[in-house]
Every structure is written in structure tokens, then in C-alpha cells.
Amino acid sequence: MMDIGEQCKILSNQLLAYDYMNHPESEVMDAGLVQLSNIYDGRVLVIDSSFKIIKDTYLLDEGRTIVSEEVFRCFQGTNTARYSKKEKYVEVTAPVRDADGAVSGVILVSASVDNILLIRESLVTKGLLIQISFCAVILVLSLLGSVVLVRPFRKLTHSLEDLNDRDLEEILSVSDYTETQAISNAYNNMIVRIRKQDESRQEFVSNVSHELKTPLTSMKVLADSLIAQGEDVPPELYREFMGDIAEEIDRENKIINDLLSLVKMDKKNADLNIQSMNINDLLELILKRLRPIAAKSDIELVFESFRPVVAEVDEVKLTLALSNLIENAIKYNVESGWVHVSLNADHKFFYVKVADSGIGIPPEDQERIFERFYRVDKSHSREIGGTGLGLAITRNAILMHRGAIKVYSKPGEGTTFTVRIPLSYIH
């Protein structure tokens, strides 16, 4: 209706220019009125000041008088526009003003909206079809895209499902996307860890079998020797062999006890009997028990405490860990050497340092000394009765306390172990 109103305004100016209200014989204006009628598929009436129709593009009512509310209001200077939904047409009026601004006539345009409604329905139908087609295309593309996108993840899924049947030496590589590459890397890291754990398990079983078998073999040889000689065994030899058998039994018992301690500490949910302990008194008690062992090799055992320390610990497990460190420092020392034990603390941790003047540890062995059954010098370790489990037990006990242990050593210059444990146990 706004377009029709604008067209009517233009025509009113032209009608004024051609003085059409007084001389309605202009072919140019007639053509303009007919053109407007054709554009909107409607009817155009030109009405003079006496309400007489001087132009009808349908040529039906020329010369007749028309009186209606819209025409009357328009002569008063008000443009009107009315839409009849029932009859499906619009009616627009526009005043024709003379040079003085007075209304000398009215243009009345009646246009059917059937075509507009048909075009609208057609556009709605086409729009709906376009939407359906667009949705169908998106759906197809989404399905195709999902198949392409999911394919690498399916490959990963199949690989993970086949884990039990795969060779642990095989490496997975799905580098289609950053995400699949990250999953592949995580998978490969897991395989490496599984492989190392499997190797560690096999090595552990082999070492346990060997360590338990060695004392039994020795006892069997000694017992067979006694049996072979029968009743003619000299009493001195009998006592010597029985003493050796007793030592092998003690060694076997020590290995079994260490294994049991290690198994208990290996449990993820191993119970800790945490209580507030005076660490100074704990170390004094440990050193008191070990001084006789140090005295046999003329080892000077010194304890230095920088301040009183009270911490939340498991007395049994911490005692076992620190005893192993100090006992090793005594056993793997030189004749007339020394072992220096010190205790210090800050606001968060307490620190135990065990330094000795012993034989030291080669750099290539320092990373492995906490492994089960690992010995730097196997012949010397067995000679002094070591099982190869002491440092593994120590490390596990310290880790259970949420602590840390480090080693510093040079061959021939001694070894220093430093232990750091929180003053308050972290659950």
C-alpha cells in the first residue's frame, strides 16, 4: 500500500502539471493512469471537487458521482488506505492539490491482492521446499562427515579391543587428527609401561626363585656331604656343617621376611598406623640397636640433630626404612670408617641424611639401586648377607609417607642418602 500511495503522489503532481482536473483530455496522463492500473492489476479513478468521476480506467463510471468516507476524508486533506481481507483488495486515496495547496481532486486506486497472495503462497511453498532440501543436504553431509570423522576413532577402538591379542612390541599410529594422535601416543605409552611391568615381573620372579633356591642348594650340598660320610663324620666337621646350614636357614628366613615386607608395602591400600612421633628419639633408638654391628668393624657412628622434630609417621615402617639405610652404610663401609646421621626440619618437612665413608656407588648403578634384588657388587653383598631388597623396601616405605629419597655417591669416596618426609601425613 505504501508503493501505491507513492505512485498516487507522483500522479497527483503530474495531474496538477497538466491541469487534468480542468482538462481531462491529456493522452499522456491517460496513459499514465492506465499504466498504474496495469501495474497493480486494479482500477484507477480520478474525482474532481464536485465528487464527479472524470476518469475511470475501467471506463464504467465516468461522469457519475461518488461519495464515500475515504473520498470525503481525502478532500479534507487526509490520505487514506484500506484493506479488505474478506474481499481481498486494497483501496488507496491521494489528494490532488492546486498551486495554492487546496484539494481540487482525488485519485482513488482499488487493487486486488489475489496476485500478491498467490505470489506469497508460492514464495512460502518454495521457501519450505528450499528449507526441506537444505535440511536433507545437511543431513546427508552430516552422515557422510560423521562416517569420515568417526573412522579413525573406530580404528582406535578396534586396536584397543584387540589389546589382549596384539603383540606388545607393535606400536599404534593413527595420525588423522590431533586427537587421534594424542590417543595413539597415550596408548603407546601404556603399552611401553605394560611391557616394562611385564619384564619387571618376570625378572622379579626369576630373582626370587634364584635367591630362594641358593640357600636351599647350599643346605642340600652340606646335608648330602654329612649323609655320605655316615657315622664317621668328625665332630668338628659336623658342627661346622650344621653351623653353615643354620646360617643358610637364617639367610633364607631373612629373604622371606624381606619379601613379605615388600609385598605389604606394594599394596596400593597398604595400611599405615600413623601417629605423632618424636623423630629424634626414633633415630636414637635405631642407632642404639646398630652400634654393636658398627663396633665389630670399628665404624664410628655419629648422630647430629639440629632441632627437635615431631612428625606424623608409621613407626614400624619408618624404622625399617631408616634402619636399612644406616645398616647398609655400616656394612658397605671401609675398615675404621664412619657413618654420619643428621636430622633437620623446616616448616613443612623433616630431613634425614645418612652419609658414610664407604666404597661408594658407580654412577651407572645409582639409578637402579632401588630395584628389587639389584646389587652393585653381588659377591660382596652375598658375603655380608644382603638380600638385594633393603633399598627397595626403604624407598616404598618413604613413598608411602608421601616422601622422597635421593642418593649422592662417588666410588671410593662414600655415599650420602637424603630422605625428605612431610611433618604432617598427607591423606
Side-chain angles (χ1 to χ4, degrees), residues 306-322:
F306 292 91
R307 57 179 49 83
V309 177
V310 176
E312 296 176 356
V313 297
D314 183 308
E315 180 183 4
V316 174
K317 291 181 175 60
L318 185 60
T319 298
L320 181 60
L322 297 178

Side-chain angles (χ1 to χ4, degrees), residues 167-183:
D167 185 355
L168 290 181
E169 297 296 328
E170 186 175 349
I171 298 298
L172 178 65
S173 179
V174 182
S175 56
D176 301 61
Y177 313 123
T178 302
E179 292 79 6
T180 56
Q181 184 62 52
I183 296 174

